[in-house]
């Protein structure tokens, strides 16, 4: 009788999926590979890793076409060092029915993620943005290349620091404008 009871419990667990297996969560956004750089062979290149879309409700496979958005919301650059170069793309979507000019620029952060410090003041000189004033047609989506290129002689006191890349729709009227930002978290060697 005891063997039958144990067998029924094991069978019930197997049928209901209570054996510890969980289905892996589908990825909401493909992780792009970092752009190859010409680094010395003995030093691995810094690795930018885009994280999930800024809105956990909106999946990148089906983004809203009638709203302006930016993706990713956060980029992680690991294994960075003076003299290193990290590249990543920021995707901007114009949700308006008219052409829109955007301003894309470096932004000193108002606040930083837990465990991270504000960036050195020189960081603004280390950022290269391929197109700082893109004009997007109605409902157009475009990638803008962002490069972090720190000089070899640069001194950084913090091992973990953060900066932002800001996007502002320049057609907004009034003194208050909406700003969309991509947080970039940098981990030094």
């Amino acid at each position: 009788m005891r063997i039958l009871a144990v067998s029924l419990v094991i069978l019930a667990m197997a049928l209901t999926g209570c054996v510890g297996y969980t289905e892996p969560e589908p990825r909401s956004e493909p992780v792009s590979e970092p752009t190859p750089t010409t680094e010395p062979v003995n030093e691995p290149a810094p690795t930018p890793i885009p994280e999930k879309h800024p809105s956990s409700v909106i999946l990148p496979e089906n983004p809203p076409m009638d709203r302006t958005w930016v993706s990713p919301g956060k980029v992680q650059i690991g294994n960075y060092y003076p003299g290193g170069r990290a590249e990543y793309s920021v995707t901007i979507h114009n949700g308006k029915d008219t052409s829109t000019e955007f301003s894309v620029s470096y932004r000193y952060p108002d606040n930083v993620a837990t465990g991270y410090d504000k960036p050195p003041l020189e960081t603004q000189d280390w950022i290269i943005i391929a197109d700082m004033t893109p004009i997007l047609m109605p409902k157009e989506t475009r990638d803008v290349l962002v490069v972090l290129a720190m000089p070899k002689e640069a001194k950084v006191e913090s091992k973990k620091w953060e900066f932002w890349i800001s996007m502002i729709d320049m057609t907004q009227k009034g003194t208050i404008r909406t700003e969309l930002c991509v947080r970039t978290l940098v981990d030094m060697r």
Side-chain angles (χ1 to χ4, degrees):
M1 185 67 160
R2 184 175 234 188
I3 295 173
L4 180 61
V6 170
S7 297
L8 288 174
V9 169
I10 292 173
L11 180 61
M13 288 175 57
L15 291 175
T16 60
C18 296
V19 292
Y21 175 77
T22 57
E23 194 68 35
E25 291 184 20
R27 295 188 78 122
S28 64
E29 179 176 313
V31 175
S32 61
E33 292 296 318
T35 305
T37 59
T38 55
E39 299 295 329
V41 176
N42 61 347
E43 295 189 35
T47 54
I49 305 167
E51 292 190 3
K52 291 186 177 183
H53 194 273
S55 170
S56 60
V57 178
I58 302 166
L59 297 176
E61 294 85 32
N62 193 17
M65 295 303 289
D66 60 342
R67 291 178 38 197
T68 298
W69 50 263
V70 62
S71 179
K74 190 185 299 182
V75 173
Q76 181 78 43
I77 299 175
N79 197 32
Y80 198 69
Y81 53 91
R85 179 181 174 97
E87 300 179 359
Y88 60 93
S89 291
V90 173
T91 303
I92 305 171
H93 175 76
N94 176 17
K96 293 186 174 183
D97 292 326
T98 59
S99 294
T100 305
E101 180 179 358
F102 288 88
S103 171
V104 182
S105 60
Y106 165 82
R107 169 104 148 56
Y108 194 80
D110 294 329
N111 54 62
V112 293
T114 304
Y116 286 82
D117 296 319
K118 292 200 176 186
L121 294 176
E122 300 84 13
T123 303
Q124 65 185 356
D125 300 329
W126 306 338
I127 305 298
I128 302 165
I129 299 171
D131 188 357
M132 297 182 74
T133 56
I135 299 174
L136 276 68
M137 300 304 288
K139 312 299 185 218
E140 180 183 1
T141 304
R142 184 180 307 167
D143 288 342
V144 174
L145 179 67
V146 177
V147 178
L148 171 60
M150 180 188 291
K152 285 185 179 185
E153 64 277 356
K155 302 284 187 226
V156 179
E157 293 181 22
S158 177
K159 288 289 192 184
K160 294 180 157 210
W161 47 281
E162 175 179 343
F163 67 89
W164 295 356
I165 297 297
S166 165
M167 270 68 58
I168 299 175
D169 172 354
M170 299 307 289
T171 63
Q172 297 177 76
K173 304 292 184 210
T175 56
I176 298 177
R177 294 183 176 179
T178 301
E179 176 181 37
L180 303 173
C181 290
V182 174
R183 299 179 83 137
T184 306
L185 306 176
V186 181
D187 293 354
M188 303 294 289
R189 298 187 173 164

